[in-house]
Amino acid sequence: MPSDPVAAVARIVIPSDPLAVRDGLRALFDTLLLRSLPDSDRGTAEIVLAEALNNIVEHAYALNHGDIELTLMLNGSGLVCRIIDSGVPMPGKVLPADSLTTPEDMPEGGFGWHLIRSLSHDLAYDRVGEQNLLSFRLEPGQ
């Protein structure tokens, strides 16, 4: 990431529990960093982050518990998000394919990755050692 002297950063570590994720997001959205966003951008960030974090709780940590580290950086290109967990890797160590073409194609509860892809930019996943790294950028005014 380029150095940006006006960049603002927020970082939280959340236990892999649905209630902890909800409380962590609430606390995160009360930070000055995210309160500075327009309402529509805050709404987009909340949707994408909630989907990504809930996927980690439900799938990466389905059989065990651990922490989820979330780092957000606001700079001239938007809100850059980086999420790290030590859960199981994604199948095939790649992002799920987005093969949905119509709402009827979606399995129940399977809209999350489609939403994340639709609302974010530069979406990337990597398995580094024993950790999953998910990153994306949310552009202002989406």
Side-chain angles (χ1 to χ4, degrees):
M1 281 179 264
S3 177
D4 186 342
V6 296
V9 177
R11 180 181 172 274
I12 60 170
V13 176
I14 306 168
S16 61
D17 172 81
L19 294 177
V21 166
R22 185 187 68 196
D23 293 343
L25 283 172
R26 184 179 307 126
L28 187 64
F29 277 87
D30 197 34
T31 64
L32 182 59
L33 172 77
L34 292 176
R35 283 194 328 239
S36 70
L37 294 176
D39 287 345
S40 62
D41 293 343
R42 282 174 53 91
T44 298
E46 191 168 11
I47 290 167
V48 174
L49 290 170
E51 287 292 342
L53 294 172
N54 286 324
N55 278 341
I56 292 168
V57 170
E58 291 175 27
H59 302 289
Y61 286 122
L63 301 177
N64 58 16
H65 295 285
D67 290 332
I68 304 167
E69 179 184 327
L70 174 59
T71 305
L72 305 176
M73 183 176 81
L74 185 61
N75 62 27
S77 68
L79 184 64
V80 179
C81 308
R82 178 181 167 139
I83 305 172
I84 298 172
D85 71 78
S86 297
V88 298
M90 294 219 188
K93 296 184 181 178
V94 296
L95 286 169
D98 190 5
S99 59
L100 305 177
T101 55
T102 67
E104 295 78 32
D105 292 337
M106 289 182 275
E108 185 174 338
F111 193 58
W113 279 109
H114 180 73
L115 245 160
I116 292 168
R117 286 180 192 282
S118 298
L119 297 172
S120 69
H121 299 272
D122 306 326
L123 179 64
Y125 166 78
D126 197 10
R127 179 76 175 182
V128 179
E130 297 296 313
Q131 293 184 315
N132 296 306
L133 170 58
L134 181 69
S135 60
F136 52 89
R137 183 174 48 83
L138 302 173
E139 288 186 354
Q142 268 192 273

